[in-house]
Amino acid sequence: MTTNSSITTRTGFRFEIRLAHPQDEPTLAEFFTHVTPDDLRFRFLGAVKEVSHERLVAMTRSDDAHIHNFLAFSADGMLIAVATLASDPADRNGEVAICIRADRKHLGVGWELLAYIAKYAEDLGLEAIEAIESRENRAAIEVERDMGFTITTDPDDATLVVVRRELGARSAA
């Protein structure tokens, strides 16, 4: 399974995806200064003004086989999006979280990054991926719906929805 990929979106925008490394922490910290307050809230499901050192460390770690952190860079080397795929201990289900730089939205990056992570998860043998979204995050929910995710209300919090997509790699094997 490849961990470095070049992607071209439907809009013609090109970017590279690779796994994060601990030395990426300063770049990641700078990235979050270019994310809207709403997107920070949607990504962390709460009021976050600044991403803590501990969260940055968690988002750049590479020592846990169940956590895969991805970085997307534009051709000029700018970090434009980050994503995490965290699988359960049995490697059956994965949870996805994505955040895109405010000035790089509407280029198809989110769609392509989510498609990349779905394929990555399938290659790992996961059966499904899901994300927990604020109901207010209509743009993300619309993309996920278009990509075949089902949407259900979070049983513990009516302000949230769980979006889920069956992958089928294990069930087909």
Side-chain angles (χ1 to χ4, degrees), residues 52-163:
S52 70
H53 169 69
E54 292 75 23
R55 284 193 182 184
L56 293 170
V57 167
M59 294 176 76
T60 56
R61 67 186 291 188
S62 56
D63 61 344
D64 185 328
H66 299 288
I67 299 173
H68 310 271
N69 292 297
F70 302 91
L71 303 179
F73 293 90
S74 59
D76 63 3
M78 176 194 302
L79 180 58
I80 59 166
V82 299
T84 299
L85 170 65
S87 59
D88 61 19
D91 283 327
R92 296 176 91 74
N93 297 296
E95 185 175 335
V96 178
I98 294 175
C99 193
I100 301 168
R101 223 181 119 107
D103 59 354
R104 294 301 182 268
K105 293 173 120 184
H106 310 293
L107 295 172
V109 173
W111 176 279
E112 294 296 342
L113 189 52
L114 185 55
Y116 177 89
I117 291 170
K119 173 75 170 103
Y120 190 93
E122 196 164 41
D123 289 350
L124 288 174
L126 275 75
E127 296 172 4
I129 56 173
E130 60 185 30
I132 300 168
E133 302 285 6
S134 166
R135 280 191 185 281
E136 295 176 36
N137 195 356
R138 290 180 188 92
I141 294 167
E142 183 178 321
V143 166
E144 291 153 342
R145 180 179 283 124
D146 289 348
M147 292 186 79
F149 285 73
T150 57
I151 293 107
T152 56
T153 299
D154 185 304
D156 300 320
D157 186 340
T159 68
L160 303 175
V161 294
V162 177
V163 297

